[in-house]
Amino acid sequence: MEWEQLEYFQTLARMEHMTKAADVLSISQPALSRSIARLESHLNVQLFDRQGRVIKLNKYGQMFLKRVDAMINEYEKGKKEIQQLLQPDQGEISFGFLHTLGAFFVPDLLASFRQHYPKVQFQLQQNHSYWLLEKLKTNELDLCVFAAIEPAKMIHWVKLWSEDLFLFVPSGHPLAERDEVDLKEIAQEPFILLKSGYALRLTVDELLEKENVKPTIIFEGEEVSTIAGFVGAGLGVSILPDVEGLDHQKITKVKMKNHTTREIGMGWLQGKYLSPVAEKFKEYILSYSKHRSENKEKI
């Protein structure tokens, strides 16, 4: 049995049309028929039911197709891995990140990395932490930068930096002139928060519960910038990190006596093969984040 026969079988099994399959494979129809006949002879079973010109994959063919798909898929993955080793400075990286990192951190990171590796391509996904975690678990992403959440045995997570959380109020609010606020002082204020299921929302919920504050939530959003916009419109208060790119024209951040932070880190699936360029990008994220944090501390 030859490898060619498996590729011919796979194409015919999907198309179930001898002439069309032969055209796709750029071989003659008789050559395709002979190849399939030899494969069936080797396996000692018919893989297709034939009625005149109609050809249809039977139950044995369906069973065998699953194995052939798996073999060809593994072959393609192996070929790709070898090509990546031969060309370690190019390839594709699937990378996920938090909404709040999309304005400055990630664009700057990618631009800096591509100065060194201009041939690298990225598949990017932007979402909240739990969504990104699931994509890591299902092997759909190589690397993610997201907030610390409950540990997952299959995920390796490394802290990159911490972000302080602040109370944000509309400019002109009585608390806007304060240096520091106790959360109990805002217990009766309307709150604007991220939707349930977001890691930041979980952190805020835990903070409020710890201080025995039961918030009246008037709106739940999906973006920190949206939340800040509603606060600026005078609709309520919120607890957020002071992320880069946040418009401070209509909002004021105030320190909380009940000081808390959230941790941002990088995660990847343990045991997952990372291409050489993905490994380089992982190390680059670590060094880039460290350098960025050190520069912020100097300011």
Side-chain angles (χ1 to χ4, degrees), residues 15-28:
M15 303 189 75
E16 292 187 325
H17 195 288
M18 190 68 74
T19 303
K20 291 180 180 178
D23 287 342
V24 167
L25 294 166
S26 300
I27 61 173
S28 68

Side-chain angles (χ1 to χ4, degrees), residues 166-171 173-176 181-183 185-194 204 208 213 215-220 227-240 251-252 254 256:
F166 297 91
L167 172 68
F168 279 86
V169 299
S171 297
H173 190 281
L175 296 176
V181 173
D182 191 303
L183 284 180
E185 297 181 68
I186 58 168
Q188 303 306 314
E189 295 277 353
F191 276 79
I192 301 165
L193 300 175
L194 288 172
V204 171
L208 294 174
V213 174
T216 299
I217 302 169
I218 63 167
F219 179 73
E220 295 176 309
I227 302 298
F230 274 66
V231 172
L235 300 178
V237 303
S238 192
I239 297 173
L240 300 168
I251 59 176
T252 300
V254 185
M256 298 182 292

Side-chain angles (χ1 to χ4, degrees), residues 14-253:
R14 289 175 177 170
M15 303 189 75
E16 292 187 325
H17 195 288
M18 190 68 74
T19 303
K20 291 180 180 178
D23 287 342
V24 167
L25 294 166
S26 300
I27 61 173
S28 68
Q29 184 176 327
L32 177 57
S33 296
R34 288 194 296 270
S35 177
I36 298 300
R38 287 196 299 271
L39 178 61
E40 290 177 324
S41 175
H42 180 80
L43 296 173
N44 198 31
V45 67
Q46 265 192 264
L47 301 172
F48 296 89
D49 291 332
R50 299 167 176 82
Q51 294 180 349
R53 293 186 177 182
V54 178
I55 182 169
K56 190 166 183 64
L57 195 67
N58 61 29
K59 65 177 182 179
Y60 303 110
Q62 291 170 357
M63 186 186 306
F64 188 57
L65 178 60
K66 290 180 183 178
R67 301 298 183 185
V68 170
D69 284 345
M71 284 189 286
I72 291 178
N73 183 52
E74 286 299 312
Y75 166 75
E76 292 296 334
K77 283 171 62 179
K79 186 168 70 172
K80 183 179 179 181
E81 288 173 6
I82 291 172
Q83 289 171 343
Q84 289 170 341
L85 288 171
L86 294 174
Q87 298 175 316
D89 294 342
Q90 56 186 285
E92 187 175 79
I93 301 168
S94 54
F95 179 53
F97 56 94
L98 283 172
H99 287 297
T100 53
L101 304 179
F104 285 89
F105 175 75
V106 171
D108 292 347
L109 168 70
L110 299 185
S112 179
F113 183 74
R114 293 194 68 181
Q115 287 180 355
H116 302 280
Y117 305 101
K119 295 181 180 179
V120 174
Q121 300 297 317
F122 285 91
Q123 283 189 348
L124 302 175
Q125 296 278 2
Q126 183 183 30
N127 218 303
H128 62 84
S129 294
Y130 285 101
W131 187 92
L132 294 170
L133 178 62
E134 288 305 311
K135 293 299 179 182
L136 275 184
K137 288 180 179 178
T138 55
N139 205 19
E140 295 175 62
L141 291 172
D142 294 323
L143 300 164
C144 282
V145 176
F146 57 100
I149 48 184
E150 80 273 6
K153 290 182 179 178
M154 63 180 70
I155 303 300
H156 190 82
W157 189 88
V158 176
K159 177 184 170 182
L160 298 176
W161 70 83
S162 293
E163 293 180 336
D164 289 325
L165 298 186
F166 297 91
L167 172 68
F168 279 86
V169 299
S171 297
H173 190 281
L175 296 176
E177 301 300 321
R178 294 274 295 276
D179 293 327
E180 196 174 61
V181 173
D182 191 303
L183 284 180
K184 291 183 175 62
E185 297 181 68
I186 58 168
Q188 303 306 314
E189 295 277 353
F191 276 79
I192 301 165
L193 300 175
L194 288 172
K195 288 183 176 181
S196 296
Y198 284 51
L200 179 56
R201 171 61 184 275
L202 182 61
T203 300
V204 171
D205 285 347
E206 289 174 348
L207 175 62
L208 294 174
E209 184 178 357
K210 181 181 177 182
E211 298 302 319
N212 200 29
V213 174
K214 298 179 180 178
T216 299
I217 302 169
I218 63 167
F219 179 73
E220 295 176 309
E222 297 181 352
E223 298 270 3
V224 166
S225 57
T226 301
I227 302 298
F230 274 66
V231 172
L235 300 178
V237 303
S238 192
I239 297 173
L240 300 168
D242 187 13
V243 297
E244 292 178 273
L246 208 59
D247 186 355
H248 285 261
Q249 290 186 357
K250 297 180 180 180
I251 59 176
T252 300
K253 71 174 183 180

